[in-house]
Amino acid sequence: MITTLFSAPPPKPSLFERFKKAVEKTRDTFVEQIDDIFQGRKVIDEELLEELEMTLISGDLGVRTTDEILDQIRRQLSRKELSDPSQLKESIARHMIEILQKAGDGKVRAVGSPQVVLVVGVNGTGKTTTIGKLANRLKSEGKKVLLAAGDTFRAAATEQLEVWGERTGIEVIKQKAGADPSAVLYDALQAAKARGVDVVVVDTAGRLHNKAGLMSELEKIRRTAGRLVDGAPHETLLVLDAVTGQNGLEQARQFTETAGVTGLVLTKLDGTAKGGIAVAIARELNLPIRYVGVGEKIGDLEEFDAESFVRALFQA
Amino acid sequence: MFENLSDKLQRVFKNLRGEGKLTEANVQDALKEIRLALLEADVNFKVVKQLIENIRTKALGQEVLTAFSPTEQVVKIVKDELIRILGSTESKLRFANTPPSVYMIVGLQGSGKTTSTGKLANWLAKNGHRPQLVSVDVYRPAAREQLRVVAGQIGAPIYVGEPGEARPLELAKAAKREAVQTGRDVVLVDTAGRLHIDEELMVELEQLKKELQPTEILFVADAMTGQDAVKSAEAFHNRLGVTGVILTKMDGDARGGAALSIRQVTGRPLKFVGVGEKPDQFELFYPDRVVSRILGMGDVLSLIEKVEETIDKKDALEMQEKILENEFTLEDFLKQLRSLKKLGSLESLLGMLPNVGPFKELQGAQIDPKEMGRVESIISSMTAKERKNHEIINGSRRRRIARGSGCSVQEVNQLLKQYREARKMMRAMTGGLKKGGLKRKQKGAKGRGGRAPIAYDPQGFPGFFGR
């Protein structure tokens, strides 16, 4: 199952290995905490569940999602499907996988010509870096890629994307700082059509989701894309920093409402943050995680797989 | 969005009336709500646990004062406890005895270091200092270019280094030398973002600290950070001895509970908050305001301060007189709109209001700056006489005004209609004032289904508020 995720030659080490490595820091604390809880326990009691609750909350899953998982466990307990503390870990893992899988995989099957991928998010989550890695990934799959420097607001954002363009050998369509992002997109899509490009990845300025003016700018970008290419943008990725707390849910909600997000990219998973809010987002908004960022190198972007992700998190 | 803590506690204490004391049972329910509120605000769970214990001790056995409802009493205990942790305002920056003082700006990737460095330089310059900037982020593509652009925006000198120089320490040392030569008293060193578990880069920071002997090491933290805030803050603090914290992206709608966590693990004061993308959107940190926000009660103090800062008191009084005398002209209408514009985006103001009651409806309302520009040009195209008395504006005058302002006659008509409505509404309000006095107005504002205070009323300027 894991190898079928890759159309290109399978990378080594395996996806599972890489996930495992990426979440090692997370796992250390997470699993240690959970293992600590089970140390010397013979029965599952309220005290144990309470400690478990704290562990899940410390992973930014949020109170609601945590409660849901614990409620399911309580139900299993009362039905006597669960009695041994050692089964508890497996049961939690299963619940988390279930939540994540229910949201789908976010893969876009319908291919436009060119395929337009819009990348959005609040400030500082890693949009430009993600685009650099994603472009590299698409290129290695044999696709002809073009980048649109739609962040015309932040100082040196275009230059930053251009560096990624050089690294990957992919052309970047840009305009002057302060230009209308929709105008950049227009240029990029015209160029893409003329050159027979397969995928256009569009960078946008970071924006806080509670700023109505900036959010409506995204709507305009979408309209521009849709006018030039049928069904565009075909995919809209919300880039979410793994350190984000409960506000991530509101981010996802607002961006989905105005920008029609189709999937998440969870970045900076190589830190100690667990990104548990993504589970809450999957549960409440049915938004799948599409990719995860696991480092600063060009190859450090992986397609998300719930099973591998949660297993790696729980593997001792 | 979330309910605020007051609402939740109100429910808990609904049945409390008549009992003289807060008992174990009703305090227990209240604590549950408080715990939930704090966790949803991203306060670290260990900090929450400790807080809840403290609050329990203080709340138990409290006499229910007649002047306060139990809700108010408990909210006060919670607020006091949170403010106690956040500490008093200690925003003062320290300066070296022999200048230049070196400030290191550190933090995780994407927390807002470069933007904050620019804002801090701007703030220092406004307060009589002569800052010098340098970026030692040789890793992230275009990071140094970013600071160069930011420096240009605020007009602060930046040391860019010899071409090809990519050693952070050398860059910083050269910048310090340049500051000495050019008489700059503070050197702001913008460092590369890094994960606190990145050993190599943490060692680099330690070396920078050793060589530069900074007077301030400011840890930049994103207000949206979740439970992990304690780990990164602790790691940076243990390695470097952070001296203060800058909390960024507070113009978002995150509760900012990370502030409590960071303060708790570092023991260092939060000094500044970033509240926007512009260089001057940078404020001193006030614990009580952040506490209100964590509890979902809005940042009314900041709002009042901002309004006071921008609105000329004399102007406001004059305006009030005019409204009372029913002499509110198109000229005044324009003035009002301009002062509204000066206040900045309506969204940012609304963000400071509690998300409850009459304010709830307003979240998301906004003034379209283009619409504002159109109104300005239309009124500017009128003669002085027309501005004083809108009733003389007939068809041919409307056509002239439309031509002069580059708008259509319909747009001129629309503006006149808006003005007449605003005027009518003001008259209705002052009518109330004259008849019932101030008391009646207050009642109207507070009562169920009553009108919100006029300044926040979306109908005040019809057409400018969209959703």
Side-chain angles (χ1 to χ4, degrees):
Chain A
M1 187 221 168
I2 284 161
T3 45
T4 56
L5 283 171
F6 294 89
S7 43
K12 352 161 216 186
S14 74
L15 175 63
F16 177 73
E17 285 299 317
R18 301 200 54 156
F19 261 116
K20 208 173 131 184
K21 198 163 163 271
V23 295
E24 210 142 67
K25 294 290 183 308
T26 312
R27 207 202 64 221
D28 280 351
T29 45
F30 205 65
V31 171
E32 266 168 32
Q33 274 180 37
I34 291 186
D35 285 344
D36 276 356
I37 294 173
F38 297 128
Q39 207 77 48
R41 304 282 184 117
K42 295 240 161 50
V43 286
I44 301 172
D45 53 13
E46 263 313 300
E47 196 189 343
L48 180 63
L49 290 178
E50 217 164 274
E51 282 179 52
L52 214 46
E53 181 193 10
M54 280 297 116
T55 309
L56 295 175
I57 281 174
S58 76
D60 284 321
L61 260 78
V63 179
R64 269 172 255 256
T65 308
T66 300
D67 282 353
E68 190 192 77
I69 292 175
L70 288 177
D71 282 350
Q72 291 200 38
I73 300 231
R74 285 201 180 92
R75 247 173 278 142
Q76 284 180 309
L77 280 173
S78 67
R79 285 200 300 260
K80 307 269 189 268
E81 291 167 8
L82 199 65
S83 57
D84 188 354
S86 62
Q87 302 170 312
L88 208 45
K89 199 158 76 177
E90 176 58 26
S91 186
I92 296 169
R94 261 209 319 274
H95 286 311
M96 280 171 76
I97 292 169
E98 204 176 288
I99 290 172
L100 288 166
Q101 283 179 340
K102 226 189 259 173
D105 62 4
K107 276 185 203 150
V108 178
R109 267 101 193 168
V111 177
S113 71
Q115 177 100 350
V116 180
V117 181
L118 186 65
V119 180
V120 300
V122 300
N123 316 64
T125 54
K127 282 178 293 302
T128 309
T129 308
T130 297
I131 289 171
K133 295 176 190 171
L134 179 61
N136 182 61
R137 198 188 166 82
L138 292 166
K139 196 183 168 189
S140 70
E141 286 170 8
K143 298 204 171 86
K144 193 169 176 195
V145 186
L146 188 73
L147 300 178
D151 183 357
T152 55
F153 179 80
R154 203 204 71 204
T158 298
E159 286 83 346
Q160 188 183 344
L161 190 67
E162 279 185 297
V163 174
W164 281 106
E166 278 162 33
R167 282 182 189 172
T168 51
I170 291 170
E171 192 183 357
V172 178
I173 301 291
K174 56 163 184 174
Q175 284 192 15
K176 282 201 300 286
D180 182 351
S182 293
V184 179
L185 178 62
Y186 185 91
D187 286 357
L189 294 183
Q190 294 290 19
K193 280 182 176 172
R195 285 164 225 179
V197 162
D198 300 312
V199 189
V200 181
V201 186
V202 187
D203 195 8
T204 61
R207 65 201 71 222
L208 293 172
H209 51 283
N210 60 336
K211 308 220 159 169
L214 292 175
M215 294 303 279
S216 63
E217 186 184 85
L218 283 182
E219 286 176 341
K220 185 179 169 193
I221 291 173
R222 290 179 67 84
R223 280 199 303 274
T224 307
R227 260 202 305 274
L228 286 164
V229 177
D230 259 0
H234 307 92
E235 197 167 0
T236 300
L237 298 174
L238 173 68
V239 181
L240 190 77
D241 189 330
V243 306
T244 312
Q246 298 311 297
N247 191 247
L249 192 56
E250 203 52 31
Q251 283 175 30
R253 189 172 286 140
Q254 296 295 335
F255 273 102
T256 303
E257 212 166 273
T258 41
V261 173
T262 58
L264 298 177
V265 182
L266 196 57
T267 61
K268 308 182 200 175
L269 259 186
D270 45 332
T272 52
K274 301 165 178 75
I277 190 64
V279 180
I281 292 171
R283 188 181 83 88
E284 294 208 16
L285 302 173
N286 220 24
L287 266 186
I289 308 172
R290 185 81 172 83
Y291 299 100
V292 292
V294 295
E296 295 194 312
K297 285 193 289 295
I298 198 160
D300 292 337
L301 184 78
E302 301 293 344
E303 274 198 35
F304 182 76
D305 174 63
E307 184 95 23
S308 301
F309 178 71
V310 177
R311 291 284 168 224
L313 204 66
F314 279 84
Q315 204 84 43
Chain B
M1 273 306 278
F2 307 103
E3 245 183 319
N4 83 28
L5 184 61
S6 270
D7 292 347
K8 286 179 181 165
L9 293 182
Q10 204 87 51
R11 262 203 330 260
V12 172
F13 291 134
K14 205 170 54 203
N15 305 317
L16 190 67
R17 259 180 227 134
E19 290 177 49
K21 262 185 192 166
L22 295 178
T23 64
E24 184 88 43
N26 51 45
V27 165
Q28 193 58 36
D29 287 346
L31 287 173
K32 230 187 238 164
E33 294 293 349
I34 295 166
R35 177 175 166 276
L36 188 66
L38 293 173
L39 286 173
E40 282 189 335
D42 290 323
V43 180
N44 183 267
F45 73 98
K46 282 185 193 147
V47 178
V48 171
K49 204 169 173 187
Q50 200 184 322
L51 269 167
I52 291 296
E53 275 324 300
N54 295 350
I55 294 166
R56 186 199 308 277
T57 319
K58 287 193 179 146
L60 266 182
Q62 277 246 346
E63 301 281 321
V64 176
L65 303 170
T66 42
F68 286 111
S69 71
T71 302
E72 283 166 331
Q73 239 172 300
V74 172
V75 166
K76 189 174 179 320
I77 294 170
V78 176
K79 273 191 168 178
D80 288 350
E81 195 58 28
L82 298 191
I83 289 173
R84 197 183 57 79
I85 290 186
L86 283 174
S88 54
T89 312
E90 297 174 66
S91 310
K92 277 209 185 88
L93 292 166
R94 286 175 308 167
F95 297 93
N97 291 331
T98 43
S101 314
V102 175
Y103 291 2
M104 275 169 64
I105 318 293
V106 303
L108 298 174
Q109 295 99 328
S111 53
K113 283 176 299 303
T114 305
T115 307
S116 297
T117 303
K119 287 174 172 181
L120 183 58
N122 190 55
W123 189 88
L124 284 165
K126 270 195 184 150
N127 285 278
H129 292 280
R130 292 165 50 80
Q132 154 92 52
L133 300 176
V134 63
S135 167
V136 299
D137 183 355
V138 298
Y139 308 100
R140 204 199 73 200
R144 284 161 75 185
E145 175 63 14
Q146 186 186 347
L147 190 67
R148 203 184 59 74
V149 176
V150 168
Q153 281 165 0
I154 58 171
I158 177 165
Y159 178 77
V160 289
E162 303 293 326
E165 178 61 81
R167 290 171 298 171
L169 190 55
E170 296 313 311
L171 278 166
K173 284 204 288 203
K176 199 174 168 184
R177 277 196 298 276
E178 173 142 314
V180 173
Q181 280 158 15
T182 53
R184 297 270 144 189
D185 68 342
V186 187
V187 182
L188 298 179
V189 183
D190 182 17
T191 66
R194 64 203 73 212
L195 290 168
H196 49 286
I197 48 170
D198 186 332
E199 186 56 29
E200 209 174 300
L201 286 177
M202 290 307 274
V203 167
E204 178 192 287
L205 281 184
E206 284 174 332
Q207 274 171 351
L208 279 168
K209 182 189 174 184
K210 196 169 141 236
E211 294 283 334
L212 298 171
Q213 293 294 317
T215 22
E216 295 275 4
I217 298 177
L218 300 170
F219 178 64
V220 178
D222 188 326
M224 297 181 278
T225 314
Q227 297 286 325
D228 198 53
V230 289
K231 283 200 207 102
S232 50
E234 200 165 32
F236 273 92
H237 187 54
N238 288 346
R239 296 295 285 261
L240 298 168
V242 164
T243 61
V245 179
I246 299 175
L247 197 62
T248 62
K249 306 179 202 172
M250 282 290 274
D251 47 331
D253 58 6
R255 289 289 170 83
L260 273 175
S261 314
I262 295 168
R263 169 77 213 213
Q264 186 78 337
V265 296
T266 64
R268 291 292 186 263
L270 284 103
K271 298 201 175 192
F272 294 98
V273 290
V275 291
E277 303 199 47
K278 296 199 191 81
D280 61 346
Q281 290 175 325
F282 192 61
E283 294 169 359
L284 293 176
F285 174 81
Y286 293 104
D288 45 343
R289 296 181 188 179
V290 172
V291 165
S292 295
R293 183 178 171 131
I294 290 172
L295 300 178
M297 294 171 170
D299 188 0
V300 180
L301 282 173
S302 291
L303 176 64
I304 293 169
E305 190 176 73
K306 194 157 185 188
V307 171
E308 278 183 346
E309 233 171 58
T310 9
I311 290 182
D312 188 327
K313 283 209 181 86
K314 213 183 92 212
D315 269 6
L317 265 177
E318 241 171 58
M319 199 66 79
Q320 204 178 331
E321 286 287 302
K322 282 188 168 159
I323 293 170
L324 280 171
E325 299 305 318
N326 200 16
E327 281 171 9
F328 183 72
T329 65
L330 274 160
E331 187 96 35
D332 301 323
F333 185 59
L334 181 61
K335 233 195 237 169
Q336 282 258 293
L337 284 178
R338 279 189 180 141
S339 65
L340 253 178
K341 197 164 132 191
K342 255 199 307 194
L343 269 173
S345 80
L346 194 63
E347 300 160 41
S348 75
L349 292 180
L350 291 172
M352 296 181 201
L353 290 170
N355 193 15
V356 288
F359 305 125
K360 215 183 230 160
E361 313 260 298
L362 278 170
Q363 302 295 336
Q366 55 168 329
I367 295 181
D368 180 359
K370 269 190 210 138
E371 181 73 32
M372 193 86 96
R374 194 150 48 222
V375 170
E376 282 201 65
S377 66
I378 292 175
I379 298 184
S380 306
S381 299
M382 294 177 182
T383 65
K385 223 168 152 188
E386 285 165 348
R387 280 181 233 173
K388 268 212 183 90
N389 181 8
H390 70 282
E391 286 177 16
I392 63 167
I393 305 178
N394 57 20
S396 88
R397 283 177 191 265
R398 281 174 205 211
R399 276 195 295 279
R400 195 204 72 245
I401 293 165
R403 266 202 310 280
S405 57
C407 294
S408 66
V409 177
Q410 283 82 358
E411 280 166 321
V412 176
N413 285 337
Q414 201 190 345
L415 168 82
L416 287 169
K417 196 174 150 220
Q418 281 164 359
Y419 162 67
R420 276 196 301 270
E421 271 171 28
R423 205 175 136 100
K424 207 166 32 181
M425 216 184 55
M426 282 172 179
R427 202 161 42 208
M429 189 187 75
T430 54
L433 262 179
K434 275 178 179 165
K435 265 187 250 157
L438 208 60
K439 223 165 142 192
R440 177 166 163 173
K441 185 185 149 214
Q442 275 173 348
K443 198 175 151 206
K446 266 167 93 183
R448 181 185 284 269
R451 230 179 225 299
I454 187 95
Y456 311 125
D457 195 313
Q459 266 114 50
F461 297 104
F464 296 108
F465 294 88
R467 289 257 152 184

